[in-house]
Amino acid sequence: MQITKRNIELKVDDSLMRVYVATPKPEGVYPGIVFYSDIYQLGSPIIRLANYLAGYGYVVAAPEIFHRTEPVGLVIEPDDLGRMRGNDNARRTKIAEYDADTRAAIKFLKAESSVAEDKIGAMGFCIGGHLAFRAAFEKEIKATVCCYPTGVPSGKLGKGVADTIKRVNEIQGEIMIVFGTQDRHTPEGDRQTVAQALEQASIAHQIFLYEAEHTFMRDDGYRYDSAATTSAWSQIIPFFNRVFEN
């Protein structure tokens, strides 16, 4: 399916938040997805992932997660200095500010004529996977996909300690989590903690493990694994389709 692409601006706490929006080209009404980047923001690899999902019939809205600390449109280079810069941006952003951004993105999707009523989900990568996990606490979110989410058990997300793992029972929709078994940032103990929390709270969930490293779906890095990425998408798309068809 062909798509259209645009950038819109939202004001959140008096800060301008750029949101990249990819929409199926055929006229119609589609589910909407709040789509979170990793710490490098909306560079080409993340945009390609957003476009890929949109091509399957989803309105994808990807906000710049560091709009309070970086200029509009800034893409952080995925190198050593970029990693330091991205992590510093994360540390300087309050948990409540991330949550406010999520609500603003949801509000935008709800107001879009191309987005089906009551069909909104979330997806994210790395820190964005954690943000997607928190988005699942919002009542509008019916389906969530977290790709190698970092810091969920420890609360490492932004300024302060995130209460994410303590709020698992607030999830009202379904959630899917994609992990790499060779990922140092999501070790086995963390993966088990997340799985146990979801099970104890009786949250409908699926967890998929791939023999891959962190950020294995990002196609510009040495950790990229095309086979694992293709396999992950083969689970993600049917998951979204099933939840939104119910």
Side-chain angles (χ1 to χ4, degrees):
M1 183 181 293
Q2 291 183 317
I3 63 172
T4 61
K5 312 166 189 177
R6 60 193 168 112
N7 290 284
I8 62 105
E9 61 180 71
L10 300 178
K11 281 291 186 70
V12 190
D13 302 332
D14 202 34
S15 177
L16 191 156
M17 180 172 75
R18 169 215 175 186
V19 181
Y20 173 81
V21 183
T23 304
K25 189 173 182 180
E27 289 189 12
V29 179
Y30 305 94
I33 305 294
V34 183
F35 193 90
Y36 300 95
S37 73
D38 53 26
I39 60 170
Y40 304 113
Q41 298 214 105
L42 301 179
S44 296
I46 294 296
I47 295 298
R48 284 191 287 272
L49 290 166
N51 292 344
Y52 185 90
L53 179 58
Y56 277 87
Y58 292 88
V59 177
V60 179
E64 285 185 330
I65 62 174
F66 299 139
H67 61 92
R68 292 176 178 83
T69 53
E70 295 286 6
V72 174
L74 181 100
V75 174
I76 301 173
E77 289 298 318
D79 53 22
D80 288 342
L81 291 178
R83 185 175 65 255
M84 295 178 198
R85 183 170 185 169
N87 285 330
D88 185 57
N89 279 309
R91 284 191 292 266
R92 291 191 287 135
T93 303
K94 297 177 182 178
I95 310 302
E97 292 174 334
Y98 288 128
D99 294 342
D101 293 347
T102 291
R103 288 190 290 272
I106 291 172
K107 183 178 179 180
F108 162 74
L109 286 172
K110 290 174 68 175
E112 282 288 282
S113 60
S114 58
V115 175
E117 185 177 357
D118 296 328
K119 291 189 177 182
I120 296 178
M123 181 174 180
F125 303 82
C126 190
I127 185 176
H130 192 157
L131 293 174
F133 199 107
R134 290 185 68 83
F137 301 153
E138 303 294 331
K139 64 181 185 301
E140 294 91 348
I141 301 297
K142 308 302 180 186
T144 302
V145 174
C146 307
C147 297
Y148 31 86
T150 54
V152 175
S154 66
K156 183 179 179 181
L157 177 63
K159 190 173 183 178
V161 179
D163 56 358
T164 309
I165 199 68
K166 299 176 182 178
R167 298 176 58 189
V168 169
N169 61 353
E170 295 181 31
I171 297 174
Q172 299 180 45
E174 295 192 36
I175 190 166
M176 171 188 288
I177 303 180
V178 171
F179 284 124
T181 59
Q182 299 173 4
D183 185 349
R184 296 184 298 105
H185 300 282
T186 60
E188 184 178 359
D190 282 8
R191 300 195 299 267
Q192 290 179 352
T193 297
V194 171
Q196 290 169 3
L198 291 168
E199 290 168 4
Q200 290 171 2
S202 299
I203 304 301
H205 68 281
Q206 299 177 52
I207 295 178
F208 291 92
L209 302 177
Y210 296 93
E211 190 176 344
E213 297 182 60
H214 193 56
T215 69
F216 71 84
M217 296 179 74
R218 189 183 171 99
D219 65 9
D220 67 338
Y222 68 92
R223 296 166 174 165
Y224 176 57
D225 189 317
S226 59
T229 298
T230 299
S231 183
W233 276 121
S234 75
Q235 300 295 340
I236 292 167
I237 300 298
F239 168 76
F240 277 140
N241 289 346
R242 176 183 58 78
V243 174
F244 290 125
E245 286 172 359
N246 290 340

